[in-house]
Amino acid sequence: MKLSKKLAVGMLLAGLVFTGCSNNEGSNKESKTEMGDTVKLGNSAPLTGPLSIYGITTNNGIKLAIKEINEAGGILGKKIEWSEYDDKGEITDAVTNYNKLMEEKPGAILGGVPSKPALAMAESSTNDGVVYITPTGTQANITEGKENVFRTCFTDPFQGEVLANFSKEKLKAKKLAVLRNQSSDFSMGVADVFVKKAKELGMDVVADESYGDSDTDFKAQLTKVRKEEPDVLFIPDYYEKVALIVPQVRDAGINATLVGADGWDTVLSVMDKSSFDAINNSYFTNQFTLEDPSENVQKFIKAYKEAYKDDPSTFAAEGYDTVYLYKQAVEEAKSFDWDKVIAALKKVSFKGITGSFTYDENNNPVKTAKMIRIENGKYEFDSDVGVNK
């Protein structure tokens, strides 16, 4: 009789185990993501420190999208629960934060924000297989060879090619100079492709100077540039460094048109108004502009300003798009299972605030860039540009 009771209990427990498995579609990943009435999303971003404007505005865009989606009923009936951790733009902190996020059993991780921490987190994510989408990390190798890693923004190599093409076709440049940050993978990567493409297009790169992260005086490099009298000076760096360099460019007597990559976004916010003349008639690549007349963009701008009392940056728009991209992939997959969402992302055709795109073989969006002109202390939309092959 005692043996029979043990057998009955064992059969009952086995039945419960198999019932639990069938409810989770036989996937361990499903059990990590579908937690009650919510799906957890999170990221690591620079919320303090010199790059904090990028992290804060990216997350503002993300949280605005989450608010809208939750108010509309969530994703497949589940409300989004959001977590964010500060990495100050540092790789070690970003990896620590990634591990914290994984303990929360997320449906997806939406960032790193700057490329270096975004890459470190992406590399950590490949063993776990979590859905990982960086809104803003442009470094090419973030996604390369990583089935689960995607981005919403375009890549550094794409920007380099676009800017070289723009310099030739729009600016009619014949002689180019480059001033790059040798401490920055972002700056070096964009500059390398820009130089290569410029030479392919028949332009002369007459100077290619560099500096380090801690440098604040660029007189030596700019003296060499001035002697070559370039038509265009390419400065691929982030906004704070650009704000230091640009007045010194004009002080050095260089009259070249200044051109930059998307790291220039928000540069006017850290420049003294007395220096605005120095950056007039400069251009940089971006993926969003306040002057876009389309209804969905203007609706986003209005909602963002109501929520944060400020105009949205490109980083805010990319963060916003990333949440809706994830939502669309989940709905098309009809599941929060990581593998199914990843498969849906690879086939997605997405239309967002920063443009419409599909993904290529490296999980990079196929899209155009917006050229932004700085004039009279304002950003003005110039044109949509791609790459001439």
Side-chain angles (χ1 to χ4, degrees), residues 2 62 119 139 150 157 159 184 203 277 302 336-337 342:
K2 289 179 181 178
I62 287 172
L119 173 61
Q139 196 168 306
F150 298 79
Q159 293 189 79
S184 166
M203 292 179 284
D277 284 348
K302 180 181 178 182
F336 291 95
D337 177 83
I342 289 166

Side-chain angles (χ1 to χ4, degrees), residues 55-181:
I56 290 169
T57 56
T58 299
N59 284 8
N60 283 349
I62 287 172
K63 288 182 280 192
L64 177 60
I66 289 172
K67 179 177 180 289
E68 293 175 354
I69 291 168
N70 282 346
E71 288 177 350
I75 305 176
L76 298 185
K78 293 184 183 294
K79 298 294 181 71
I80 301 171
E81 186 178 336
W82 175 248
S83 295
E84 61 184 44
Y85 294 96
D86 181 19
D87 59 31
K88 301 180 285 296
E90 298 293 335
I91 292 173
T92 302
D93 290 344
V95 173
T96 298
N97 292 343
Y98 170 82
N99 292 327
K100 291 178 182 177
L101 289 165
M102 288 304 296
E103 290 174 1
E104 297 177 9
K105 305 184 188 306
I109 294 177
L110 309 182
V113 174
S115 285
K116 282 186 177 181
L119 173 61
M121 293 176 69
E123 290 172 341
S124 297
S125 77
T126 55
N127 288 332
D128 297 316
V130 65
V131 178
Y132 180 95
I133 312 171
T134 172
T136 58
T138 55
Q139 196 168 306
N141 58 348
I142 291 173
T143 60
E144 287 175 354
K146 304 176 184 73
E147 286 294 304
N148 65 307
V149 178
F150 298 79
R151 75 178 94 225
T152 309
C153 57
F154 47 48
T155 65
D156 293 345
F158 175 79
Q159 293 189 79
E161 292 195 37
V162 162
L163 288 162
N165 187 69
F166 181 80
S167 296
K168 181 177 177 64
E169 299 298 327
K170 172 71 183 239
L171 302 181
K172 307 300 181 185
K174 295 181 179 179
K175 297 196 298 181
L176 308 176
V178 178
L179 183 59
R180 62 171 85 190
N181 184 346

Side-chain angles (χ1 to χ4, degrees), residues 377-389:
K378 294 182 180 179
Y379 306 109
E380 297 181 0
F381 173 67
D382 182 81
S383 57
D384 283 305
V385 292
V387 176
N388 288 348
K389 298 295 185 182

